[in-house]
Amino acid sequence: MSISVSTTAAHHGLPAHEVVLLLETDPHRGLSGDEAAERLERFGLNRLPPAATAGLLVRILRQFHHPLIYVLLAAGMITAGLKEFVDSAVIFGVVIVNAIVGFIQESKAESALEGLRSMVRTRAKVVRDGRERIVASDELVPGDLVVLEAGDKVPADLRLVRESELFVNESALTGESAPVSKDEVVLPETTPVADRRNIAYSGTLVTAGDGAGIVVATGAETELGEIHRLVGAAEIVQTPLTAKLAWFSKILTIAILGLAAVTFGVGLLRSQDAVETFTAAIALAVGAIPEGLPAAVTITLAIGMARMATRRAVIRRLPAVETLGSTTVICADKTGTLTENEMTVQSIWTPHGLIQVTGTGYAPTGALCDANGAPADVDANAALRWSLLAGACTNDAALAHEGTQWQIVGDPTEGAMLVVAAKAGFHPEQLAATMPRVAAITFSSERQYMATLHRGESNHVVLAKGAVERMLDLCNAQMGADGALQPLNRAKVLSAAAMLTSRGLRVLATAVRADADPSDDFDEASLPGSLTLTGLQAMSDPPRAAAASAVAACHSAGIGVKMITGDHAGTATAVATEVGLLDGDGATTPGSILTGTDLTALSAEECPDAVDRASVFARVSPEQKLRLVQALQSKGHVVAMTGDGVNDAPALRQASIGVAMGRGGTEVAKDAADMVLTDDDFATIEAAVEEGRAVFDNLTKFIAWTLPTNIGEGLVILAAIAFGAALPILPTQILWINMTTAVALGLMLAFEPKEAGIMTRPPRDPGQPLLTRRLVTRILLVSTLLVASAWWLFEWELGNGAGLDEARTTALNLFVVVEAFYLFSCRSLTRSAWRIGVFSNRWIILGVTAQAIAQFCITYLPAMNMVFGTAPIGADVWIRIVAVAAVVTIVVALDKLRHAAAPAMSLSSP
Ligand code: ATP
């Protein structure tokens, strides 16, 4: 068998049946399972090859492409030229170690990102052996018959064989975001890619309509694969924070180089030895630049992403990690996010009376009982019978029995109606045989109803179900128990619906027209006023177990939560009250509940305030979500918005954090989102916000920890040159401190657990500068203490008979010990080291131990003494070092205490 899988085999120029022949498949039954498995072997997975990553050498060389490294390389070469070979070797050693660490981190971060991407897998609907099934899209093979509907991502290049008003967004391919219409006509062979209307390309998104097509190319053979090959390596994403930091590092480097030049100049003016002054200037430069910062940012963000993933929030765009920490409002869908989306019909109201339904879950076991608890006679109640039939027939869901469990394939609302019909003895297969469906008007959130046309014994039957208000528009009568038509009592229907919705039940009305003529029109325009209302089906959808506590956590974190739903205001109010969005009697607080109609009536000026005030938005259409996000953003909010449908995409894109549902969401929504919830649960958003705050905290902690060392080191050198004194620390020693402490001490802060009370403080202002005033003050305080104590101890040792090498070793060890002590202080932004528990982050203990070993080596190993110009020191010196470090630590602790005494103070608030 020879199968043409090349996109060059102009499938668009062939009629569909020839493509079917060419690919040896069946336009209705698709491939057989065996054939598909065999083709999978032959053609491989339908996956793009990993982005062509730069070669090993290039990736290693890239580690040296940094202004700081240039400075170091120049310094290394000049010192070598000056025959200071040991210094030169140390500098080159540091450069190489730095490159290795950078290389390892980059590779790790890349593979972590790759892993996260694969957590959100695309699924595809495919027909095999004549049955529609859902498979992972990477299992598709050429010849597969794929079914498309609105919301899907096209999983491979398809030659369409049928379609109905199919529109596809091809921006992934062409950059053009307006959806293009597709059809199955044969096109001239010369038609350019962008105009091939009969091909649906892999990676594009179906925005409306439906269709089916034969897979003509998979994986790298697709048009997307071609583009992928051309574009090559994946782009590296910058977040607002990394951009800020990159800018900060650049400015810092320039400032430090300037300062180094000044130092050199001052030294020369004081006619000091040029070589010595030059090495000192270099020491200042390498000491003052915070080398560890970029690595710490990457690692902290990566750890944050990994932590979020374990809590079932997958980040699709890196900036979301930090934006999450600033979120001030979360707008969440009701159904499925705040509630379980497990519907069970509990009552059916008919004009004749209320029927209760027993049984829970999707098992079709239970009974329908009348007000007296006696089994309801479905044959004696025509309205009830037609209501059940409408529920079961205007339905695209299916009931499946897997193992001991009953499950729903499709929409849970429809599933619930299938279950209640089955409880009364109406089964879908039977109904399909006795009342075959002829046509359907499908459900959409805008339309709010679904209607189907069926062939009856002598005439056609129209059945419909949907939102009560919409259905009342379609009806002109109601049905009595005997089947006779009665005048429609709108008020009574609405009050019955209000009674049911006030209990938090989701209410759908059902209607019928049993005597339609086969020649009658069946479309949206012909329905209004033509149907007979048969009943109201009320279903429960319990709030998610963790919803109420997650809402409470958000509230105490100063984050507003708003429920957005297409459902009735009554149901929304009841559920909102249950999860704590409205207190006790929410309906009485004016403005706390807005409906879609209210929103439309609001003027552009009134809208932001009204939206900001309200907690529940009911009967809202997806288009209105965009307006909601914009209104909230105009009030300065950082908005997280959930969504699952195609029409939610604009709002998801507009939101500061677009959140898509991993289970129930369409591919279009996932594509537009910054974050995907793998469990669709509201509590997961709250967890992600918490992690986002922790990420920012840990970055702040690292900056607060690293800068004083850098500034201190720079100042020590500057002072020594200015006063014409001997250098208390040598350049190579400074490099030693920076490299070892950044890895062994500073990076451990990235593993710091979340602060207690992280969700009881207000959100971080996104406009706030990286270095707040408080942060700057503390950094300056620690830097000054560091310089003063190191200088003092150095001079004291010299004055008390120590050699220069010993005194320098003392100063070097003092720097490291102060840094280690200060590390414990930096573990919390507000609380003292004792309060958080000295041993509560075992990484820190590990790091401090490693650093201690390193310090003993540099102090006592003769080889290292020679390289670094150090000398062994006595136990009494260590006691002095620890004592001085302790004093410094106490002063810092007192400063922290002073700030902590003031309410709501943290390093990250100005
Ligand atoms: P949320 O926006 O929180 O997900 P929702 O599911 O109620 O809530 P929509 O799906 O937009 O929002 O539904 C709007 C209304 O349309 C529902 O309140 C219901 O009355 C009606 N409806 C929902 N699903 C169907 C369906 N499958 N067939 C007919 N009508 C439906």
Side-chain angles (χ1 to χ4, degrees):
M1 174 174 38
S2 72
I3 296 176
S4 159
V5 286
S6 153
T7 42
T8 51
H11 296 103
H12 60 280
L14 301 172
H17 65 265
E18 281 185 31
V19 175
V20 166
L21 282 180
L22 198 65
L23 291 164
E24 296 180 18
T25 181
D26 184 298
H28 304 291
R29 296 185 54 78
L31 295 173
S32 69
D34 293 344
E35 178 64 27
E38 196 187 303
R39 290 191 190 188
L40 191 61
E41 283 279 299
R42 271 186 35 215
F43 297 109
L45 286 173
N46 174 29
R47 238 186 232 167
L48 292 183
T53 41
L56 194 66
L57 191 66
V58 176
R59 283 170 66 198
I60 292 174
L61 284 180
R62 218 167 36 208
Q63 304 304 325
F64 297 93
H65 177 54
H66 195 279
L68 163 78
I69 304 295
Y70 297 158
V71 176
L72 284 182
L73 286 175
M77 279 187 259
I78 296 171
T79 33
L82 296 172
K83 300 208 165 37
E84 300 277 349
F85 293 118
V86 175
D87 282 9
S88 167
V90 170
I91 295 179
F92 283 123
V94 162
V95 170
I96 290 167
V97 169
N98 192 58
I100 293 174
V101 172
F103 178 78
I104 294 174
Q105 272 154 7
E106 197 181 281
S107 318
K108 264 197 181 155
E110 260 169 27
S111 60
L113 267 176
E114 200 48 51
L116 287 182
R117 261 183 225 124
S118 65
M119 278 180 74
V120 186
R121 289 180 80 192
T122 318
R123 291 178 293 257
K125 278 183 244 62
V126 60
V127 179
R128 284 186 187 156
D129 295 314
R131 269 187 51 214
E132 198 173 304
R133 58 185 80 185
I134 294 184
V135 299
S137 62
D138 48 15
E139 287 169 19
L140 290 181
V141 292
D144 257 330
L145 175 63
V146 172
V147 179
L148 296 175
E149 62 182 72
D152 290 347
K153 185 179 230 164
V154 179
D157 283 1
L158 310 175
R159 167 66 165 90
L160 295 169
V161 291
R162 62 173 173 273
E163 59 81 37
S164 155
E165 295 178 33
L166 186 67
F167 281 85
V168 175
N169 178 329
E170 293 189 336
S171 60
L173 216 59
T174 59
E176 171 58 53
S177 61
V180 290
S181 160
K182 292 278 171 185
D183 52 41
E184 69 251 61
V185 292
V186 182
L187 298 168
E189 264 197 37
T190 50
T191 314
V193 171
D195 295 336
R196 292 181 192 164
R197 295 198 313 269
N198 57 12
I199 304 273
Y201 290 105
S202 177
T204 60
L205 300 162
V206 182
T207 56
D210 46 58
I214 304 282
V215 174
V216 293
T218 59
E221 301 296 324
T222 60
E223 276 305 321
L224 190 70
E226 185 65 26
I227 292 182
H228 192 71
R229 213 168 17 242
L230 296 178
V231 175
E235 56 177 322
I236 295 164
V237 208
Q238 273 233 335
T239 80
L241 180 72
T242 49
K244 242 187 217 175
L245 277 175
W247 178 85
F248 177 70
S249 309
K250 212 173 262 169
I251 298 294
L252 208 64
T253 309
I254 295 170
I256 288 166
L257 285 180
L259 206 62
V262 171
T263 312
F264 186 53
V266 169
L268 286 187
L269 283 181
R270 297 184 59 109
S271 27
Q272 287 170 358
D273 178 61
V275 174
E276 207 169 280
T277 319
F278 181 76
T279 18
I282 289 173
L284 183 137
V286 296
I289 296 173
E291 296 84 344
L293 203 53
V297 174
T298 321
I299 293 183
T300 313
L301 287 178
I303 291 177
M305 278 174 81
R307 281 186 181 167
M308 288 178 189
T310 58
R311 299 184 75 174
R312 293 183 286 277
V314 178
I315 300 295
R316 293 193 66 245
R317 296 190 231 291
L318 203 54
V321 180
E322 44 180 294
T323 321
L324 269 168
S326 318
T327 307
T328 58
V329 174
I330 303 175
C331 298
D333 282 336
K334 170 178 76 71
T335 313
T337 310
L338 285 160
T339 69
E340 295 276 7
N341 204 7
E342 274 178 23
M343 310 273 177
T344 316
V345 174
Q346 295 209 320
S347 325
I348 301 179
W349 177 90
T350 66
H352 188 56
L354 195 64
I355 307 290
Q356 298 298 342
V357 184
T358 63
T360 52
Y362 293 132
T365 45
L368 280 66
C369 311
D370 63 18
N372 306 320
D377 183 354
V378 178
D379 291 328
N381 188 341
L384 176 62
R385 194 175 65 247
W386 278 116
S387 178
L388 291 167
L389 286 176
C393 294
T394 56
N395 205 310
D396 291 326
L399 262 182
H401 197 204
E402 277 172 29
T404 54
Q405 289 264 317
W406 283 91
Q407 279 178 340
I408 291 293
V409 185
D411 177 6
T413 303
E414 298 192 346
M417 295 179 117
L418 273 190
V419 172
V420 72
K423 285 176 182 172
F426 298 116
H427 297 283
E429 315 78 53
Q430 270 170 309
L431 295 173
T434 52
M435 299 172 57
R437 191 195 279 190
V438 184
I441 299 172
T442 53
F443 168 76
S444 75
S445 291
E446 290 78 19
R447 204 173 276 144
Q448 295 191 346
Y449 71 85
M450 171 172 180
T452 47
L453 182 67
H454 300 262
R455 199 174 313 122
E457 278 165 16
S458 54
N459 44 22
H460 277 181
V461 177
V462 179
L463 292 168
K465 69 166 194 312
V468 180
E469 309 91 299
R470 291 292 291 127
M471 293 301 292
L472 281 174
D473 293 342
L474 305 186
C475 294
N476 62 357
Q478 63 186 39
M479 189 177 279
D482 56 358
L485 302 197
Q486 303 170 346
L488 181 62
N489 188 340
R490 277 179 162 266
K492 201 169 159 202
V493 175
L494 284 173
S495 86
M499 178 266 294
L500 293 165
T501 54
S502 69
R503 292 195 225 148
L505 298 173
R506 176 182 177 84
V507 180
L508 271 82
T510 52
V512 64
R513 182 172 169 209
D515 59 352
D517 193 282
S519 63
D520 285 351
D521 283 343
F522 175 74
D523 54 31
E524 272 194 86
S526 66
L527 285 183
S530 70
L531 306 181
T532 301
L533 188 107
T534 50
L536 305 176
Q537 296 200 14
M539 49 194 93
S540 64
D541 177 18
R544 282 179 177 270
S549 57
V551 167
C554 286
H555 283 163
S556 68
I559 300 168
V561 180
K562 299 183 189 293
M563 173 196 278
I564 301 185
T565 178
D567 213 339
H568 190 275
T571 315
T573 307
V575 176
T577 312
E578 226 172 308
V579 298
L581 282 180
L582 294 171
D583 45 16
D585 194 4
T588 56
T589 318
S592 59
I593 301 159
L594 290 180
T595 63
T597 323
D598 297 336
L599 276 177
T600 318
L602 287 174
S603 70
E605 292 78 47
E606 295 165 330
C607 188
D609 284 321
V611 168
D612 200 9
R613 242 189 343 264
S615 308
V616 175
F617 300 89
R619 285 285 187 245
V620 169
S621 69
E623 285 71 34
Q624 288 179 314
K625 281 185 165 182
L626 182 63
R627 189 162 179 224
L628 288 181
V629 176
Q630 286 166 336
L632 288 168
Q633 284 175 332
S634 77
K635 296 288 289 179
H637 281 297
V638 176
V639 186
M641 163 72 87
T642 69
D644 46 20
V646 182
N647 301 336
D648 290 334
L652 291 181
R653 258 190 226 107
Q654 173 74 32
S656 324
I657 309 266
V659 185
M661 303 299 136
R663 285 202 204 156
T666 57
E667 295 300 326
V668 172
K670 287 183 210 165
D671 206 73
D674 302 290
M675 179 166 97
V676 177
L677 309 181
T678 56
D679 59 357
D680 297 6
D681 191 345
F682 175 77
T684 304
I685 310 177
E686 186 256 329
V689 168
E690 194 178 317
E691 295 297 342
R693 288 182 171 201
V695 164
F696 221 91
D697 278 359
N698 286 355
L699 282 174
T700 316
K701 289 172 194 175
F702 183 82
I703 294 172
W705 175 82
T706 191
L707 286 187
T709 327
N710 296 114
I711 298 177
E713 287 163 347
L715 285 181
V716 165
I717 307 281
L718 193 65
I721 304 271
F723 294 126
L727 292 180
I729 306 187
L730 292 174
T732 47
Q733 294 170 348
I734 287 188
L735 282 176
W736 164 268
I737 299 180
N738 285 2
M739 287 318 295
T740 56
T741 60
V743 177
L745 303 181
L747 277 185
M748 301 305 158
L749 286 173
F751 298 97
E752 196 53 43
K754 283 176 286 293
E755 301 243 354
I758 196 166
M759 290 299 272
T760 51
R761 59 179 198 222
R764 191 181 62 86
D765 173 3
Q768 176 189 304
L770 203 57
L771 297 179
T772 59
R773 214 164 16 150
R774 173 138 336 133
L775 194 51
V776 172
T777 334
R778 180 160 312 161
I779 289 169
L780 290 180
L781 172 73
V782 180
S783 318
T784 318
L785 287 172
L786 203 50
V787 177
S789 56
W791 189 281
W792 177 78
L793 198 57
F794 171 72
E795 293 293 339
W796 195 91
E797 294 292 333
L798 277 185
N800 284 280
L804 191 58
D805 287 353
E806 270 172 75
R808 280 186 176 142
T809 311
T810 312
L812 167 109
N813 278 314
L814 178 75
F815 254 88
V816 175
V817 174
V818 169
E819 273 191 64
F821 278 19
Y822 180 50
L823 182 71
F824 284 91
S825 164
C826 286
R827 287 187 51 206
S828 168
L829 296 171
T830 47
R831 293 173 317 141
S832 74
W834 303 119
R835 293 265 313 272
I836 44 175
V838 176
F839 298 105
S840 52
N841 176 352
R842 62 194 166 88
W843 288 100
I844 298 242
I845 303 298
L846 205 74
V848 170
T849 314
Q851 186 70 48
I853 295 171
Q855 287 317 111
F856 278 102
C857 292
I858 197 174
T859 310
Y860 296 108
L861 290 188
M864 292 188 79
N865 289 161
M866 208 179 73
V867 172
F868 287 96
T870 47
I873 51 174
D876 55 325
V877 186
W878 280 109
I879 293 174
R880 281 193 290 280
I881 291 175
V882 173
V884 173
V887 172
V888 172
T889 310
I890 290 169
V891 176
V892 176
L894 286 179
D895 171 66
K896 204 161 157 183
L897 216 60
R898 191 168 60 89
H899 288 310
M905 283 218 186
S906 79
L907 275 178
S908 49
S909 65

